[in-house]
Amino acid sequence: MNPLVELNLALILFIPWFLILGVLFWIYPRQPRGTARRVYDVIALVLSVVAFAWTQYWSLEVADPDYGRMWGQILASAIGYGVYLAVMTVAFFLRPWVLRRF
């Protein structure tokens, strides 16, 4: 397998699901929708993908190679997805509180 693809395999496989979750985060709730909300949503989406990518690379580094090469991908997918969801969940529940100030 191409080393670049192997390094980013979890991200490649999760891109469709992240797009679905990102669109749902962007759309709901429908109101209020101003500039502050758009900026907040973009920052939250970018932070969640960056957190996923960082966790993925970290997981591939710390995965025990004694369990095989696939273990790194499994660990990266599981931990990275959990981190992505955690960031999105925190952003979702903080959004009303943060945007109340604007």
Side-chain angles (χ1 to χ4, degrees):
M1 179 184 299
N2 183 332
L4 185 60
V5 171
E6 185 176 353
L7 182 63
N8 295 300
L9 184 61
L11 180 60
I12 293 167
L13 294 174
F14 273 109
I15 283 175
W17 183 235
F18 288 170
L19 287 173
I20 292 169
L21 292 176
V23 167
L24 290 174
F25 179 78
W26 188 270
I27 292 174
Y28 296 107
R30 294 190 185 270
Q31 298 298 332
R33 179 146 344 240
T35 304
R37 160 92 185 264
R38 286 186 189 98
V39 169
Y40 179 85
D41 288 353
V42 167
I43 290 171
L45 290 167
V46 168
L47 281 177
S48 63
V49 172
V50 168
F52 175 85
W54 181 83
T55 304
Q56 174 188 350
Y57 299 139
W58 174 82
S59 299
L60 289 171
E61 288 294 321
V62 301
D64 191 355
D66 293 340
Y67 292 104
R69 289 179 46 158
M70 204 57 197
W71 173 242
Q73 297 297 332
I74 294 167
L75 184 66
S77 298
I79 294 176
Y81 183 58
V83 167
Y84 177 86
L85 287 180
V87 172
M88 292 303 294
T89 302
V90 168
F92 181 78
F93 287 111
L94 283 180
R95 183 166 48 190
W97 181 77
V98 170
L99 295 179
R100 183 177 35 209
R101 299 175 180 204
F102 294 101

XYZ file of all heavy atoms in Angstrom:
845
model
N 0.844 -1.175 0.000
C 0.000 0.000 0.000
C 0.889 1.237 0.000
O 1.935 1.253 0.637
C -0.901 -0.008 1.247
C -1.800 1.198 1.320
S -2.822 1.323 2.803
C -3.811 -0.131 2.714
N 0.447 2.234 -0.692
C 1.158 3.510 -0.735
C 1.298 4.054 0.691
O 0.325 4.109 1.438
C 0.350 4.483 -1.603
C 1.034 5.806 -1.773
O 1.789 6.258 -0.935
N 0.732 6.445 -2.884
N 2.517 4.454 1.112
C 2.710 4.937 2.487
C 1.848 6.144 2.838
O 1.382 6.269 3.964
C 4.196 5.295 2.533
C 4.827 4.542 1.429
C 3.778 4.365 0.378
N 1.617 7.038 1.879
C 0.786 8.213 2.145
C -0.669 7.808 2.380
O -1.324 8.338 3.278
C 0.887 9.202 0.987
C 0.155 10.525 1.178
C 0.707 11.268 2.393
C 0.287 11.380 -0.066
N -1.152 6.862 1.612
C -2.515 6.367 1.808
C -2.620 5.626 3.129
O -3.587 5.789 3.875
C -2.939 5.461 0.635
C -4.263 4.769 0.920
C -3.017 6.256 -0.650
N -1.620 4.820 3.435
C -1.632 4.076 4.693
C -1.648 5.023 5.885
O -2.347 4.784 6.867
C -0.423 3.155 4.774
C -0.427 2.272 6.000
C 0.733 1.295 6.003
O 1.455 1.207 5.001
O 0.893 0.619 7.022
N -0.899 6.099 5.805
C -0.835 7.073 6.901
C -2.170 7.780 7.092
O -2.557 8.093 8.208
C 0.274 8.098 6.627
C 0.510 9.153 7.686
C 0.953 8.517 8.995
C 1.536 10.150 7.199
N -2.903 8.012 6.023
C -4.163 8.767 6.076
C -5.393 7.904 5.818
O -6.461 8.438 5.515
C -4.119 9.906 5.057
C -3.060 10.903 5.401
O -3.088 11.496 6.466
N -2.093 11.086 4.510
N -5.274 6.598 5.966
C -6.370 5.704 5.625
C -7.622 5.979 6.459
O -8.731 6.023 5.921
C -5.936 4.244 5.792
C -6.964 3.199 5.383
C -7.306 3.347 3.908
C -6.435 1.807 5.668
N -7.477 6.169 7.755
C -8.649 6.426 8.595
C -9.351 7.708 8.171
O -10.584 7.754 8.107
C -8.234 6.500 10.061
N -8.593 8.737 7.872
C -9.202 9.995 7.439
C -9.915 9.818 6.101
O -11.040 10.291 5.911
C -8.146 11.095 7.333
C -8.645 12.469 6.896
C -9.686 12.995 7.871
C -7.493 13.436 6.775
N -9.306 9.091 5.180
C -9.922 8.852 3.878
C -11.238 8.099 4.040
O -12.246 8.428 3.405
C -8.954 8.086 2.955
C -7.749 8.960 2.604
C -9.659 7.595 1.702
C -6.606 8.203 1.965
N -11.255 7.110 4.909
C -12.463 6.311 5.091
C -13.560 7.068 5.843
O -14.746 6.798 5.646
C -12.124 5.017 5.825
C -11.231 4.052 5.050
C -10.846 2.862 5.923
C -11.912 3.588 3.784
N -13.181 8.000 6.704
C -14.167 8.738 7.485
C -14.651 10.020 6.810
O -15.600 10.640 7.291
C -13.600 9.100 8.868
C -13.801 8.019 9.881
C -12.729 7.276 10.336
C -15.059 7.753 10.386
C -12.908 6.285 11.283
C -15.243 6.759 11.327
C -14.170 6.024 11.779
N -14.055 10.443 5.721
C -14.450 11.701 5.075
C -15.948 11.742 4.749
O -16.608 12.741 5.056
C -13.578 11.985 3.835
C -12.218 12.508 4.276
C -14.240 13.003 2.909
C -11.243 12.715 3.136
N -16.549 10.714 4.166
C -17.997 10.812 3.885
C -18.839 10.989 5.154
O -19.774 11.785 5.184
C -18.331 9.492 3.195
C -17.034 8.990 2.672
C -15.981 9.487 3.616
N -18.503 10.258 6.195
C -19.259 10.369 7.439
C -19.034 11.738 8.093
O -19.978 12.338 8.630
C -18.881 9.242 8.373
C -19.653 9.233 9.651
C -19.145 9.249 10.909
C -21.076 9.185 9.815
N -20.154 9.221 11.830
C -21.348 9.184 11.180
C -22.145 9.162 8.922
C -22.648 9.158 11.692
C -23.435 9.129 9.435
C -23.667 9.126 10.796
N -17.821 12.249 8.034
C -17.553 13.585 8.577
C -18.315 14.653 7.795
O -18.770 15.639 8.389
C -16.063 13.889 8.563
C -15.268 13.123 9.586
C -13.890 13.144 9.534
C -15.874 12.392 10.577
C -13.143 12.454 10.469
C -15.140 11.689 11.517
C -13.771 11.722 11.461
N -18.458 14.477 6.497
C -19.243 15.426 5.699
C -20.709 15.414 6.123
O -21.333 16.472 6.252
C -19.117 15.116 4.211
C -17.781 15.472 3.574
C -17.731 14.966 2.136
C -17.549 16.962 3.613
N -21.260 14.241 6.357
C -22.655 14.145 6.803
C -22.825 14.808 8.160
O -23.731 15.627 8.364
C -23.103 12.667 6.842
C -23.171 12.103 5.433
C -24.454 12.531 7.549
C -23.344 10.611 5.377
N -21.960 14.477 9.111
C -22.058 15.077 10.438
C -21.810 16.576 10.402
O -22.457 17.345 11.123
C -21.072 14.398 11.399
C -21.378 12.962 11.761
C -20.274 12.394 12.640
C -22.716 12.836 12.441
N -20.882 17.007 9.567
C -20.593 18.428 9.442
C -21.766 19.204 8.882
O -22.084 20.310 9.351
N -22.445 18.643 7.891
C -23.624 19.305 7.326
C -24.741 19.385 8.363
O -25.403 20.421 8.503
C -24.098 18.573 6.044
C -25.484 19.026 5.627
C -23.101 18.791 4.926
N -24.939 18.318 9.114
C -25.955 18.353 10.163
C -25.615 19.383 11.231
O -26.495 20.100 11.726
C -26.120 16.968 10.783
C -26.761 15.921 9.892
C -26.734 14.559 10.561
C -28.178 16.324 9.528
N -24.354 19.483 11.599
C -23.932 20.482 12.574
C -24.166 21.882 12.025
O -24.595 22.778 12.741
C -22.445 20.284 12.908
C -21.902 21.286 13.881
C -22.159 21.173 15.226
C -21.128 22.344 13.439
C -21.657 22.091 16.126
C -20.617 23.266 14.325
C -20.889 23.135 15.675
N -23.895 22.082 10.748
C -24.037 23.390 10.106
C -25.511 23.797 10.017
O -25.854 24.953 10.209
C -23.414 23.340 8.726
C -23.333 24.656 8.040
C -24.284 25.221 7.223
C -22.267 25.590 8.101
N -23.855 26.434 6.774
C -22.615 26.695 7.305
C -21.039 25.596 8.763
C -21.784 27.789 7.142
C -20.208 26.678 8.586
C -20.574 27.757 7.796
N -26.379 22.844 9.714
C -27.789 23.151 9.466
C -28.592 23.334 10.756
O -29.434 24.226 10.837
C -28.424 22.049 8.597
C -27.837 22.087 7.194
C -29.930 22.194 8.532
C -28.304 20.943 6.317
N -28.395 22.495 11.748
C -29.249 22.517 12.939
C -28.572 23.193 14.094
O -27.413 22.934 14.364
C -29.640 21.093 13.323
C -30.470 20.441 12.266
C -29.941 19.452 11.454
C -31.776 20.842 12.056
C -30.698 18.861 10.469
C -32.541 20.251 11.071
C -31.996 19.262 10.287
O -32.745 18.682 9.303
N -29.280 23.993 14.861
C -30.627 24.504 14.602
C -30.591 25.535 13.482
O -29.580 26.174 13.242
C -31.055 25.131 15.920
C -29.787 25.521 16.581
C -28.745 24.528 16.118
N -31.701 25.706 12.838
C -31.770 26.564 11.647
C -31.614 28.045 11.967
O -31.152 28.805 11.138
C -33.069 26.321 10.909
C -33.120 24.925 10.336
C -34.304 24.779 9.415
N -34.426 23.419 8.944
C -33.864 22.958 7.851
N -33.131 23.737 7.109
N -34.046 21.712 7.479
N -32.030 28.484 13.109
C -31.947 29.904 13.482
C -31.286 30.023 14.844
O -31.441 29.127 15.665
C -33.343 30.533 13.515
C -34.057 30.535 12.188
C -33.351 31.330 11.120
O -32.642 32.279 11.417
N -33.513 30.934 9.872
N -30.636 31.040 15.183
C -30.255 32.204 14.384
C -29.050 31.882 13.510
O -28.212 31.060 13.864
C -29.891 33.253 15.423
C -29.372 32.463 16.575
C -30.179 31.167 16.562
N -28.969 32.539 12.386
C -27.876 32.285 11.466
C -27.278 33.619 11.044
O -27.758 34.270 10.146
C -28.376 31.528 10.246
C -27.267 31.272 9.286
C -27.317 30.005 8.531
N -28.194 28.985 8.997
C -27.775 27.784 9.365
N -26.510 27.504 9.353
N -28.628 26.872 9.732
N -26.228 34.012 11.712
C -25.541 35.250 11.384
C -24.081 34.975 11.102
O -23.632 33.827 11.019
N -23.318 36.028 10.994
C -21.884 35.893 10.714
C -21.166 35.196 11.861
O -20.305 34.339 11.640
C -21.269 37.281 10.469
O -21.978 37.912 9.410
C -19.814 37.167 10.108
N -21.526 35.541 13.093
C -20.877 34.920 14.250
C -21.128 33.412 14.262
O -20.225 32.627 14.576
C -21.380 35.554 15.538
N -22.320 33.005 13.922
C -22.643 31.579 13.895
C -21.841 30.860 12.820
O -21.322 29.770 13.034
C -24.144 31.413 13.645
C -24.589 30.068 13.134
C -24.979 29.096 14.231
N -25.282 27.798 13.690
C -26.488 27.370 13.391
N -27.530 28.122 13.590
N -26.655 26.156 12.927
N -21.725 31.467 11.650
C -20.953 30.843 10.567
C -19.484 30.704 10.939
O -18.867 29.666 10.693
C -21.113 31.651 9.283
C -22.454 31.492 8.638
C -22.523 32.203 7.297
N -23.880 32.198 6.808
C -24.727 33.209 6.930
N -24.346 34.320 7.503
N -25.950 33.114 6.471
N -18.931 31.743 11.539
C -17.527 31.705 11.960
C -17.333 30.626 13.018
O -16.385 29.833 12.966
C -17.067 33.090 12.468
C -15.717 33.008 13.142
C -17.048 34.093 11.328
N -18.245 30.581 13.988
C -18.159 29.573 15.049
C -18.229 28.165 14.455
O -17.452 27.284 14.840
C -19.293 29.775 16.057
C -19.279 28.756 17.161
C -18.491 28.941 18.292
C -20.023 27.594 17.078
C -18.457 28.011 19.307
C -20.003 26.652 18.077
C -19.219 26.871 19.187
O -19.192 25.924 20.192
N -19.167 27.942 13.539
C -19.319 26.615 12.933
C -18.086 26.206 12.135
O -17.642 25.062 12.220
C -20.558 26.578 12.038
C -21.855 26.595 12.833
O -21.793 26.508 14.075
O -22.922 26.708 12.204
N -17.514 27.133 11.383
C -16.303 26.818 10.617
C -15.155 26.467 11.554
O -14.438 25.482 11.334
C -15.926 27.987 9.677
C -14.518 27.814 9.126
C -16.920 28.114 8.556
N -14.987 27.254 12.608
C -13.913 26.980 13.571
C -14.120 25.613 14.220
O -13.175 24.828 14.367
C -13.825 28.097 14.621
C -13.302 29.375 13.977
C -12.953 27.689 15.798
C -13.382 30.601 14.868
N -15.346 25.295 14.606
C -15.633 24.006 15.239
C -15.354 22.843 14.291
O -14.763 21.831 14.695
C -17.087 23.975 15.703
N -15.760 22.982 13.037
C -15.526 21.908 12.071
C -14.039 21.716 11.786
O -13.550 20.582 11.716
C -16.294 22.192 10.781
C -17.815 22.075 10.894
C -18.490 22.674 9.672
C -18.219 20.630 11.091
N -13.320 22.807 11.641
C -11.877 22.711 11.386
C -11.164 22.105 12.601
O -10.307 21.224 12.452
C -11.292 24.090 11.012
C -9.782 24.071 11.032
C -11.804 24.529 9.651
N -11.524 22.550 13.804
C -10.902 21.996 15.010
C -11.175 20.504 15.151
O -10.290 19.745 15.557
C -11.393 22.731 16.249
C -10.767 24.071 16.542
C -11.424 24.708 17.767
C -9.279 23.934 16.774
N -12.373 20.074 14.809
C -12.689 18.654 14.948
C -11.876 17.802 13.975
O -11.385 16.734 14.341
C -14.187 18.418 14.764
O -14.587 18.779 13.470
N -11.703 18.275 12.750
C -10.910 17.513 11.775
C -9.422 17.546 12.144
O -8.726 16.531 12.026
C -11.160 18.038 10.349
C -10.207 17.398 9.359
C -12.597 17.778 9.932
N -8.936 18.681 12.617
C -7.538 18.777 13.047
C -7.293 17.861 14.247
O -6.269 17.165 14.310
C -7.159 20.238 13.365
C -5.841 20.326 14.089
C -7.122 21.050 12.086
N -8.235 17.840 15.195
C -8.096 16.952 16.353
C -8.103 15.491 15.914
O -7.330 14.677 16.421
C -9.222 17.217 17.351
N -8.957 15.155 14.950
C -8.973 13.798 14.419
C -7.635 13.440 13.786
O -7.074 12.377 14.050
C -10.098 13.628 13.391
C -10.083 12.297 12.718
C -10.703 11.215 13.300
C -9.430 12.107 11.509
C -10.683 9.972 12.693
C -9.400 10.877 10.891
C -10.030 9.799 11.487
N -7.131 14.334 12.942
C -5.872 14.058 12.243
C -4.719 13.909 13.229
O -3.909 12.985 13.110
C -5.575 15.163 11.234
N -4.640 14.808 14.207
C -3.563 14.715 15.191
C -3.661 13.408 15.962
O -2.656 12.724 16.186
C -3.619 15.911 16.151
C -2.513 15.855 17.147
C -1.233 16.281 16.969
C -2.566 15.297 18.459
N -0.497 16.028 18.102
C -1.301 15.426 19.029
C -3.580 14.706 19.205
C -1.009 14.995 20.312
C -3.285 14.266 20.486
C -2.010 14.414 21.016
N -4.874 13.046 16.370
C -5.064 11.799 17.107
C -4.730 10.595 16.246
O -4.151 9.620 16.726
C -6.525 11.698 17.589
O -6.836 12.852 18.359
C -6.738 10.472 18.432
N -5.071 10.671 14.978
C -4.766 9.567 14.064
C -3.259 9.358 13.973
O -2.782 8.231 14.089
C -5.343 9.861 12.689
C -4.955 8.855 11.652
C -5.383 9.261 10.253
O -6.125 10.197 10.078
N -4.892 8.549 9.263
N -2.506 10.424 13.750
C -1.048 10.295 13.628
C -0.429 9.832 14.942
O 0.479 9.014 14.952
C -0.427 11.605 13.156
C -0.940 12.033 11.800
C -1.232 13.358 11.537
C -1.148 11.115 10.783
C -1.713 13.756 10.297
C -1.625 11.499 9.539
C -1.909 12.822 9.302
O -2.389 13.207 8.086
N -0.941 10.354 16.056
C -0.427 9.935 17.361
C -0.703 8.452 17.577
O 0.173 7.712 18.044
C -1.076 10.775 18.465
C -0.719 10.318 19.829
C 0.420 10.614 20.516
C -1.489 9.462 20.670
N 0.395 9.995 21.738
C -0.773 9.279 21.855
C -2.724 8.832 20.533
C -1.247 8.501 22.898
C -3.194 8.055 21.563
C -2.455 7.894 22.735
N -1.904 8.003 17.253
C -2.275 6.596 17.448
C -1.415 5.666 16.604
O -1.042 4.582 17.061
C -3.740 6.376 17.087
O -4.576 7.138 17.894
N -1.116 6.079 15.382
C -0.261 5.247 14.538
C 1.148 5.136 15.111
O 1.809 4.103 14.933
C -0.223 5.810 13.119
C -1.506 5.644 12.313
C -1.426 6.433 11.008
C -1.788 4.182 12.033
N 1.603 6.166 15.791
C 2.941 6.136 16.388
C 2.998 5.247 17.628
O 3.994 4.582 17.865
C 3.388 7.553 16.760
C 3.727 8.419 15.579
C 4.945 7.925 14.831
O 5.918 7.462 15.468
O 4.913 8.001 13.585
N 1.943 5.252 18.443
C 1.982 4.521 19.707
C 1.418 3.112 19.610
O 1.520 2.348 20.569
C 1.246 5.293 20.838
C 1.863 6.649 21.049
C -0.227 5.393 20.570
N 0.821 2.751 18.478
C 0.253 1.404 18.326
C 1.361 0.359 18.403
O 2.426 0.521 17.814
C -0.492 1.294 17.001
N 1.096 -0.689 19.127
C 2.074 -1.756 19.305
C 2.182 -2.580 18.021
O 1.222 -3.234 17.609
C 1.641 -2.651 20.467
C 2.714 -3.625 20.885
O 3.777 -3.678 20.223
O 2.507 -4.340 21.887
N 3.360 -2.568 17.371
C 3.505 -3.298 16.104
C 3.467 -4.821 16.280
O 3.331 -5.544 15.300
C 4.861 -2.832 15.577
C 5.599 -2.340 16.756
C 4.574 -1.857 17.736
N 3.545 -5.311 17.518
C 3.483 -6.755 17.736
C 2.117 -7.339 17.379
O 1.992 -8.529 17.162
C 3.792 -7.083 19.198
C 5.241 -6.768 19.551
O 6.072 -6.666 18.620
O 5.541 -6.613 20.750
N 1.096 -6.502 17.344
C -0.252 -6.956 17.003
C -0.527 -6.891 15.509
O -1.630 -7.174 15.076
C -1.306 -6.135 17.752
C -1.279 -6.391 19.233
C -0.723 -5.470 20.097
C -1.795 -7.563 19.755
C -0.683 -5.705 21.454
C -1.763 -7.806 21.110
C -1.207 -6.879 21.959
O -1.171 -7.114 23.298
N 0.433 -6.474 14.736
C 0.282 -6.414 13.284
C 0.121 -4.982 12.796
O -0.128 -4.063 13.565
N 0.293 -4.819 11.496
C 0.221 -3.479 10.908
C -1.200 -2.932 10.939
O -1.403 -1.727 10.979
C 0.726 -3.513 9.474
C 2.213 -3.713 9.387
C 2.680 -3.758 7.980
N 2.077 -2.669 7.195
C 2.583 -2.216 6.089
N 3.680 -2.749 5.617
N 1.996 -1.255 5.427
N -2.184 -3.800 10.912
C -3.568 -3.349 10.894
C -3.990 -2.736 12.227
O -4.899 -1.900 12.271
C -4.463 -4.541 10.551
C -5.764 -4.181 9.969
S -5.503 -3.193 8.500
C -7.111 -2.525 8.380
N -3.357 -3.140 13.321
C -3.728 -2.625 14.634
C -3.590 -1.106 14.699
O -4.423 -0.426 15.308
C -2.888 -3.269 15.728
C -3.124 -2.629 17.065
C -2.211 -1.981 17.823
C -4.360 -2.552 17.783
N -2.791 -1.503 18.968
C -4.115 -1.837 18.959
C -5.650 -2.992 17.538
C -5.102 -1.569 19.908
C -6.638 -2.727 18.478
C -6.359 -2.030 19.638
N -2.589 -0.547 14.080
C -2.426 0.911 14.074
C -3.606 1.601 13.419
O -4.086 2.632 13.913
N -4.103 1.047 12.316
C -5.262 1.635 11.642
C -6.526 1.512 12.485
O -7.344 2.432 12.539
C -5.478 0.973 10.275
C -4.362 1.175 9.303
C -4.174 2.642 8.945
O -5.099 3.435 8.976
N -2.950 3.006 8.622
N -6.692 0.387 13.143
C -7.863 0.182 13.998
C -7.835 1.156 15.158
O -8.839 1.801 15.478
C -7.914 -1.280 14.494
C -8.140 -2.218 13.313
C -8.986 -1.459 15.550
C -7.903 -3.670 13.627
N -6.693 1.276 15.808
C -6.558 2.195 16.932
C -6.757 3.637 16.492
O -7.468 4.407 17.140
C -5.177 2.031 17.584
C -4.912 2.850 18.832
C -5.828 2.389 19.951
C -3.457 2.722 19.251
N -6.180 4.004 15.365
C -6.319 5.371 14.860
C -7.770 5.687 14.532
O -8.256 6.781 14.838
C -5.441 5.561 13.621
N -8.475 4.751 13.941
C -9.878 4.975 13.608
C -10.733 5.118 14.852
O -11.566 6.024 14.955
C -10.415 3.822 12.758
O -9.723 3.748 11.546
N -10.544 4.225 15.802
C -11.380 4.247 17.007
C -11.146 5.499 17.846
O -12.096 6.193 18.225
C -11.106 2.990 17.831
N -9.910 5.794 18.137
C -9.610 6.948 18.980
C -9.898 8.247 18.230
O -10.470 9.184 18.793
C -8.153 6.902 19.476
C -7.969 5.708 20.413
C -7.800 8.187 20.198
C -6.556 5.512 20.869
N -9.528 8.305 16.980
C -9.765 9.517 16.194
C -11.237 9.838 16.067
O -11.648 10.995 16.203
N -12.066 8.834 15.824
C -13.499 9.065 15.705
C -14.078 9.544 17.032
O -14.924 10.442 17.065
C -14.198 7.803 15.228
C -15.667 7.976 15.011
C -16.153 8.925 14.122
C -16.594 7.194 15.688
C -17.511 9.090 13.908
C -17.948 7.348 15.484
C -18.397 8.293 14.598
O -19.743 8.452 14.397
N -13.617 8.969 18.129
C -14.071 9.419 19.445
C -13.702 10.867 19.710
O -14.509 11.642 20.242
N -12.509 11.253 19.334
C -12.071 12.639 19.521
C -12.879 13.577 18.629
O -13.298 14.649 19.064
C -10.553 12.764 19.251
C -10.132 14.212 19.135
C -9.775 12.072 20.348
N -13.116 13.185 17.391
C -13.933 14.001 16.483
C -15.317 14.226 17.077
O -15.808 15.356 17.126
C -14.044 13.322 15.119
C -14.937 14.059 14.153
C -14.440 15.084 13.374
C -16.288 13.744 14.030
C -15.252 15.774 12.480
C -17.104 14.422 13.153
C -16.583 15.433 12.378
O -17.397 16.112 11.515
N -15.956 13.157 17.532
C -17.285 13.289 18.122
C -17.262 14.117 19.397
O -18.198 14.879 19.659
C -17.883 11.911 18.401
C -18.342 11.124 17.196
C -18.914 9.786 17.627
C -19.369 11.902 16.394
N -16.228 13.979 20.201
C -16.131 14.761 21.435
C -16.040 16.254 21.126
O -16.737 17.072 21.750
C -14.925 14.306 22.256
N -15.205 16.620 20.170
C -15.070 18.034 19.806
C -16.378 18.566 19.243
O -16.829 19.667 19.602
C -13.907 18.236 18.808
C -13.888 19.657 18.270
C -12.578 17.905 19.461
N -17.032 17.799 18.376
C -18.299 18.249 17.796
C -19.398 18.356 18.849
O -20.218 19.276 18.814
C -18.734 17.303 16.676
C -17.856 17.347 15.460
S -17.709 18.988 14.728
C -19.363 19.250 14.172
N -19.421 17.433 19.801
C -20.428 17.480 20.859
C -20.228 18.694 21.751
O -21.188 19.408 22.078
C -20.387 16.183 21.695
O -20.612 15.076 20.820
C -21.421 16.196 22.795
N -19.001 18.944 22.147
C -18.715 20.125 22.967
C -19.068 21.399 22.195
O -19.688 22.318 22.753
C -17.232 20.133 23.411
C -16.838 21.463 24.008
C -16.977 19.001 24.393
N -18.705 21.456 20.930
C -19.020 22.636 20.117
C -20.527 22.826 19.989
O -21.022 23.959 20.028
C -18.384 22.509 18.737
N -21.273 21.737 19.844
C -22.721 21.827 19.696
C -23.364 22.395 20.954
O -24.244 23.254 20.884
C -23.304 20.450 19.378
C -24.788 20.455 19.196
C -25.340 20.897 18.012
C -25.632 20.026 20.208
C -26.716 20.911 17.833
C -26.994 20.041 20.049
C -27.549 20.482 18.854
N -22.933 21.911 22.122
C -23.547 22.372 23.356
C -23.029 23.737 23.812
O -23.720 24.432 24.554
C -23.373 21.329 24.457
C -24.268 20.134 24.240
C -23.736 18.907 23.907
C -25.639 20.246 24.347
C -24.556 17.816 23.688
C -26.475 19.169 24.135
C -25.930 17.945 23.803
N -21.837 24.120 23.391
C -21.323 25.445 23.718
C -21.820 26.536 22.786
O -21.766 27.716 23.128
C -19.791 25.447 23.699
C -19.084 24.833 24.881
C -17.578 24.918 24.701
C -19.491 25.506 26.170
N -22.288 26.168 21.615
C -22.710 27.145 20.605
C -23.744 28.136 21.127
O -23.561 29.335 20.965
C -23.204 26.437 19.356
C -23.593 27.387 18.264
C -23.775 26.727 16.921
N -24.584 25.549 16.969
C -24.729 24.695 15.961
N -24.120 24.910 14.823
N -25.474 23.640 16.067
N -24.828 27.728 21.792
C -25.796 28.728 22.271
C -25.190 29.682 23.306
O -25.468 30.882 23.306
C -26.925 27.899 22.912
C -26.756 26.532 22.377
C -25.307 26.362 22.026
N -24.337 29.156 24.154
C -23.725 29.978 25.192
C -22.751 30.992 24.574
O -22.739 32.158 24.957
C -22.997 29.088 26.204
C -22.367 29.866 27.312
C -22.998 30.417 28.379
C -20.992 30.156 27.450
N -22.090 31.049 29.189
C -20.836 30.899 28.633
C -19.859 29.862 26.690
C -19.611 31.352 29.066
C -18.638 30.319 27.140
C -18.525 31.062 28.304
N -21.946 30.543 23.629
C -20.976 31.433 22.991
C -21.681 32.484 22.139
O -21.320 33.662 22.173
C -19.976 30.625 22.125
C -19.127 31.530 21.264
C -19.110 29.730 23.010
N -22.678 32.085 21.385
C -23.354 33.000 20.475
C -24.327 33.939 21.188
O -24.759 34.928 20.604
C -24.068 32.235 19.368
C -23.155 31.468 18.428
C -23.965 30.730 17.396
C -22.146 32.384 17.773
N -24.676 33.665 22.424
C -25.533 34.550 23.193
C -24.867 35.899 23.393
O -25.510 36.920 23.519
C -25.871 33.912 24.533
C -26.810 34.702 25.374
C -27.182 34.000 26.652
N -26.074 33.230 27.194
C -26.223 32.146 27.913
N -27.421 31.675 28.175
N -25.178 31.498 28.392
N -23.569 35.929 23.407
C -22.813 37.154 23.620
C -22.788 38.060 22.387
O -22.417 39.211 22.470
C -21.385 36.846 24.029
C -21.336 36.072 25.331
C -19.930 35.673 25.661
N -19.933 34.935 26.902
C -18.893 34.828 27.683
N -17.760 35.410 27.337
N -18.967 34.146 28.782
N -23.169 37.528 21.219
C -23.105 38.310 19.973
C -24.472 38.756 19.548
O -25.443 38.219 19.567
C -22.425 37.504 18.854
C -20.999 37.243 19.131
C -20.584 36.020 19.596
C -20.064 38.240 18.931
C -19.244 35.774 19.851
C -18.720 38.005 19.179
C -18.316 36.769 19.650
